[in-house]
Amino acid sequence: MSSDQPTPAAEAPPSRTGTPDARQLRAVLTAVSVALMAVVASVSGLNVAQTHMAVEWGASQTTVLWIVNVYTLALAALLLPLGAVGDRLGRKPVLIAGLVLFGTAGVVAAFAPSPAVMIGARVAAGTGAAMIMPITLAVITSTFPEKERGRAIGVWTGVAGGGGILGMFLSALLVDVADWRWLFALPVALAAAALVATVRSVPDSRERPASSFDTAGALLSTVAVVGLIFVLQEGPERGWTAPATLTGLVAGLAAAVAFVAWELRRRDASLLDVRLFRERGLAGGSLTLLVVFGVQAGVAVVLFPFFQAVLGWSGLLSTAAMMPMAVTMMATSGLAPRAAAAIGARATMTAGIALSALGLALMALFVSVDGGYLSVLPGTLAMGAGMGLSMTPSTEAITASLPRDRQGVASALNDITREFGTALGVALLGALVAGGYRAAVDDRLDGVPREAADTAREGIANAVEVAPSTGGHAQDLVRAAQESFVEGWQRAMWAGVAVMAVLLVHIALRGPEGAHRAATDEEGAAEAAVVR
């Protein structure tokens, strides 16, 4: 039990309205959900504009990828320090500042005249997002009473899980009907709406811990996250043995080891008490989110090329095809708290993981070129339902494992886990798909001109592009690439099933038994927060 108790306020000023009523709680939940939607929509939205940016600015693929990825890099790197800052300075003012920075950066990005300005705006937006994302969850855990908290967290996890797909769909729609720069209109509008709602509805809460801010821990955590996320993002593009990749890996691992050692030394005065990972709730919840978000990201890596290169669909239609999974995920996230109350958090998480594994197995078994969308729809629905059931109790287990005065840190840890899982899933499952494709297509290139065959080995999109230059081999080359891609998909999905099976056994045996808040929260909740 942590002894770093917040120093009690002499007398907490009473709220004007006392305990928030149902209407006020709905207003708070709406405000933080809209703010969260702005952040997650910006994570994936710009993916649909990569070609447009490259053409307009004559930018290289590396530059375009930096524009897309630097937002996530800044977001992940600053989550933990800024979550802790929100705990100390006040969650409402930090949320307001984050929304202002995020919205301003979106406006700058919309009118950016060059890639350099765009990258700077994306870094600023990621910084603002790192102020917003952990605070939205911390506001829920510090404002909602115990009996309402699970439902609110269910809404939050549904937005966090499905919001990215919804944001990508709306972004693709904007690109189709307008200009790619209109992509920033959605997150800016959401940020503006969230800002107004936050000022009007969100109460302020802050903690006054006895220890000073852990500056060294904050710096080490930032370097560790930057190094490791950089490796996962750049490794597939630059090569896993490239000097930049290896430098990022060494720096990230060294900083991570130093962070753990430093936090153990500071113990109760640490930014993150790493000893808490011995608890089932924190360890099980974090591991579940890491794997589930990793697999979701890996599925997305496979689905879009399948829809576009195999089925020949547009970007907008391909994104729309992902919506059933997102809607199912958001719906079951709302139902998960009831299931956890009825059968327990561990059983609910286990059922969700089992459903996710079933979804992967269904996709691996039935996906085919001729089967089209219906060959993957049942799997995506099961995957969405499983994610929804497992995410909410996992998030609640994480936030319940840390005391109330560390809810910004708890929320940031939850978000970092999601970001790492996403990066891992894209890198590892993406590599499995690519490797499986190359192995399968090699046996199907007999008679194809050598230069075209070499291009086709690089990926299915390359094969489709080069096919017309092969004359009579064009149709056979496209078919070979499509079938090879499906084989690579199946390899990746079976790997995902294996990972899910291991997680299933672990959670069934060692998962959290219930959403019990840390002892420090129970003992000092009445004096831990200054609520205005």
Side-chain angles (χ1 to χ4, degrees):
M1 182 173 67
S2 174
S3 62
D4 182 24
Q5 297 291 337
T7 56
E11 185 175 350
S15 171
R16 292 182 178 180
T17 57
T19 302
D21 58 25
R23 181 185 61 81
Q24 291 171 316
L25 291 176
R26 284 195 298 271
V28 171
L29 184 57
T30 299
V32 298
S33 296
V34 173
L36 178 63
M37 177 65 78
V39 171
V40 295
S42 292
V43 171
S44 56
L46 208 56
N47 282 317
V48 301
Q50 290 189 41
T51 302
H52 299 274
M53 290 187 292
V55 171
E56 179 168 330
W57 287 323
S60 67
Q61 180 65 18
T62 300
T63 300
V64 172
L65 287 176
W66 264 108
I67 292 172
V68 173
N69 291 336
V70 76
Y71 172 84
T72 305
L73 189 65
L75 168 62
L78 296 174
L79 278 169
L80 196 58
L82 293 179
V85 168
D87 285 337
R88 289 170 175 264
L89 299 184
R91 293 167 185 130
K92 182 173 182 176
V94 171
L95 179 56
I96 289 174
L99 288 167
V100 171
L101 176 59
F102 179 87
T104 303
V107 173
V108 173
F111 295 97
S114 67
V117 174
M118 176 65 83
I119 289 174
R122 295 285 285 173
V123 170
T127 303
M131 301 168 73
I132 297 168
M133 198 169 186
I135 300 302
T136 55
L137 183 55
V139 165
I140 290 175
T141 57
S142 62
T143 304
F144 280 72
E146 185 74 30
K147 63 180 180 179
E148 301 288 342
R149 194 175 302 147
R151 294 180 183 178
I153 291 177
V155 173
W156 189 95
T157 56
V159 173
I165 297 174
L166 179 60
M168 185 175 288
F169 171 74
L170 294 175
S171 297
L173 179 62
L174 285 170
V175 168
D176 272 14
V177 302
D179 185 79
W180 69 269
R181 291 180 180 272
W182 281 95
L183 290 175
F184 298 99
L186 174 64
V188 168
L190 290 172
L195 179 60
V196 173
T198 297
V199 171
R200 295 180 57 182
S201 306
V202 174
D204 190 18
S205 61
R206 70 187 67 190
E207 317 301 336
R208 295 177 180 172
S211 60
S212 61
F213 183 72
D214 184 7
T215 304
L219 291 174
L220 287 171
S221 71
T222 300
V223 174
V225 173
V226 168
L228 296 176
I229 293 290
F230 174 84
V231 169
L232 293 173
Q233 289 182 343
E234 297 295 315
E237 182 72 18
R238 297 172 181 262
W240 296 105
T241 58
T245 306
L246 294 178
T247 300
L249 179 62
V250 171
L253 289 176
V257 171
F259 173 76
V260 172
W262 175 256
E263 299 302 279
L264 287 173
R265 178 183 175 185
R266 281 183 62 95
R267 300 176 67 83
D268 296 328
S270 61
L271 182 70
L272 173 64
D273 189 349
V274 295
R275 296 171 297 171
L276 291 174
F277 280 98
R278 293 178 297 195
E279 295 186 8
R280 291 188 177 188
L282 188 60
S286 299
L287 184 61
T288 299
L289 289 181
L290 181 77
V291 173
V292 167
F293 268 81
V295 170
Q296 183 207 28
V299 168
V301 166
V302 179
L303 279 176
F304 281 101
F306 178 76
F307 293 148
Q308 293 180 304
V310 176
L311 303 186
W313 290 0
S314 66
L316 179 60
L317 185 57
S318 299
T319 310
M322 294 282 288
M323 292 301 292
M325 183 171 75
V327 172
T328 303
M329 184 192 313
M330 296 175 79
T332 52
S333 293
L335 296 175
R338 298 180 184 178
I343 63 176
R346 184 194 299 182
T348 304
M349 291 169 65
T350 302
I353 295 166
L355 266 176
S356 297
L358 174 63
L360 294 172
L362 288 174
M363 283 186 275
L365 286 170
F366 296 114
V367 62
S368 67
V369 176
D370 297 324
Y373 183 51
L374 292 180
S375 69
V376 299
L377 181 59
T380 60
L381 292 176
M383 181 75 192
M387 287 190 64
L389 280 179
S390 58
M391 287 190 306
T392 300
S394 298
T395 295
E396 194 166 6
I398 292 173
T399 58
S401 297
L402 274 74
R404 191 175 295 277
D405 66 307
R406 298 294 181 89
Q407 283 305 291
V409 172
S411 305
L413 178 62
N414 175 80
D415 299 333
I416 290 174
T417 302
R418 293 165 180 262
E419 296 299 331
F420 264 115
T422 299
L424 275 170
V426 170
L428 299 183
L429 290 182
L432 284 174
V433 172
Y437 167 83
R438 285 192 295 270
V441 81
D442 273 340
D443 298 329
R444 295 183 168 99
L445 296 176
D446 291 342
V448 176
R450 181 175 179 179
E451 185 175 349
D454 290 341
T455 301
R457 289 187 183 95
E458 296 176 6
I460 184 171
N462 304 81
V464 172
E465 184 177 358
V466 78
S469 67
T470 62
H473 296 286
Q475 187 173 352
D476 292 337
L477 178 56
V478 170
R479 182 72 181 189
Q482 292 172 338
E483 292 177 349
S484 300
F485 180 81
V486 167
E487 288 190 25
W489 172 324
Q490 291 171 319
R491 175 184 297 189
M493 292 304 98
W494 284 123
V497 171
V499 173
M500 281 291 191
V502 173
L503 177 64
L504 176 67
V505 173
H506 174 78
I507 295 300
L509 298 177
R510 298 285 301 170
E513 297 178 356
H516 300 296
R517 189 162 294 281
T520 51
D521 187 28
E522 296 294 337
E523 295 169 0
E527 56 188 6
V530 178
V531 181
R532 294 185 175 88

